[in-house]
Amino acid sequence: QLRLVESGGGLVQAGGSLRLTCAASRTFRGALGWYRQAPGKQRELVATISLAGNTDYADAVNGRFTISRDTRENTVYLQMNSLNPEDTAVYYCYARLGILTSWGQGTQVTVSS
């Protein structure tokens, strides 16, 4: 079973930056990405990246967040810039191959105004 371990969350002021890291326990050839879930809201897709490096972003983060992956280290990153309080959420790393999806445990990101 694929394990995903996130790190890099924390508290930051509006306008600041954070970088999230998600390390997979083994080589993974599927899509990697990030979802987030704010209190009282549904989990939403933030960004995804294929093995070939094709990326997709939610409209709310496009231009501010950048997803990347290191296939040698089996790691995916989410660079988050120009953060605002609406970005406050638990961020979950995911890995998807076909119908199989694995999830990390989540990391809290809190943006203060």
Side-chain angles (χ1 to χ4, degrees):
Q1 183 177 355
L2 183 69
R3 287 184 62 245
L4 302 171
V5 179
E6 300 111 329
S7 61
L11 174 64
V12 64
Q13 288 188 331
S17 299
L18 284 174
R19 189 174 84 151
L20 304 183
T21 299
C22 174
S25 58
R26 58 174 172 79
T27 299
F28 184 73
R29 300 299 183 185
L32 292 169
W34 297 88
Y35 275 72
R36 67 185 181 185
Q37 187 166 18
K41 295 186 177 181
Q42 289 189 331
R43 192 174 293 192
E44 62 176 357
L45 179 65
V46 175
T48 185
I49 184 167
S50 70
L51 182 63
N54 298 313
T55 59
D56 193 23
Y57 297 92
D59 289 343
V61 307
N62 199 17
R64 299 187 297 121
F65 291 10
T66 302
I67 189 170
S68 60
R69 71 190 283 175
D70 184 335
T71 55
R72 291 174 302 175
E73 298 295 329
N74 303 316
T75 302
V76 61
Y77 305 96
L78 186 67
Q79 177 66 43
M80 304 185 294
N81 299 327
S82 301
L83 286 161
N84 58 63
E86 289 70 39
D87 296 315
T88 295
V90 178
Y91 284 70
Y92 296 91
C93 175
Y94 81 94
R96 181 168 295 146
L97 184 62
I99 62 172
L100 300 177
T101 303
S102 299
W103 295 93
Q105 80 285 356
T107 186
Q108 177 69 46
V109 172
T110 303
V111 185
S112 63
S113 57

